[in-house]
Amino acid sequence: MTVEYKTIVVPADGSENSKRALQHAVSIAERNKAQLVVVHVANIVSAISNFDQTPISGGYVSEQIAEDMEETGKEILNDVVKEVPADVTVKSVFEVGSPGPAVLAVAKKFNADLIVMGSRGLGPLKGLFMGSVSSYVTSHSTCPVLVVK
């Protein structure tokens, strides 16, 4: 039996591990003529909770955080897309929410055959990938998950 990968989801947070995961995903995509779906998840709730000691005047802080996170996320996605060879089809997706469930939702939406992700993200200080997202994804995914160290 031959397993064919047509759509590969790759979470990207700018960390070294996510860059290594991308290299593996590109290699698999090239061999299988698969498309990559690169997803960045902005975990705004965790970022705002880091600011709960800050007095907020007029409620603009959370809006600013959201805008900053979106800008950062789109920069990360653009940088990742530039790393993908021209012969590989790539889509980029920006999501807001809890990283594990958001990655799985994107995988379901695009009918992914495989998720390739780093074992660790940037951690809570960056507010992008919190906790063990890879273990959440591996235990809840309906498709195979390759975790790259």
Side-chain angles (χ1 to χ4, degrees):
M1 183 183 119
T2 307
V3 176
E4 282 195 17
Y5 300 116
K6 292 294 171 207
T7 303
I8 303 168
V9 169
V10 187
D13 67 356
S15 66
E16 284 307 309
N17 276 345
S18 81
K19 289 173 185 171
R20 278 196 294 279
L22 177 70
Q23 291 169 345
H24 284 265
V26 164
S27 177
I28 295 166
E30 286 177 324
R31 285 197 299 273
N32 289 269
K33 295 179 178 50
Q35 73 163 341
L36 295 181
V37 178
V38 180
V39 59
H40 177 83
V41 183
N43 193 345
I44 289 174
V45 172
S46 70
I48 291 171
S49 70
N50 290 338
F51 285 84
D52 60 8
Q53 305 305 315
T54 310
I56 298 173
S57 57
Y60 292 113
V61 171
S62 60
E63 194 176 309
Q64 187 59 52
I65 293 169
E67 286 173 17
D68 289 352
M69 289 183 78
E70 184 167 359
E71 194 175 307
T72 302
K74 290 189 172 165
E75 278 173 26
I76 289 170
L77 286 171
N78 287 338
D79 289 347
V80 169
V81 169
K82 281 186 217 155
E83 297 296 314
V84 177
D87 60 336
V88 176
T89 304
V90 62
K91 290 180 176 156
S92 61
V93 178
F94 176 82
E95 290 287 337
V96 174
S98 181
V103 167
L104 293 177
V106 169
K108 186 175 183 179
K109 178 181 175 184
F110 286 92
N111 206 11
D113 306 296
L114 178 66
I115 298 170
V116 180
M117 64 190 304
S119 58
R120 294 198 116 96
L122 289 170
L125 292 177
K126 297 290 184 195
L128 301 174
F129 276 64
M130 305 269 304
S132 187
V133 179
S134 55
S135 76
Y136 180 90
V137 171
T138 50
S139 59
H140 292 87
S141 178
T142 54
C143 71
V145 180
L146 172 60
V147 178
V148 177
K149 287 186 161 190

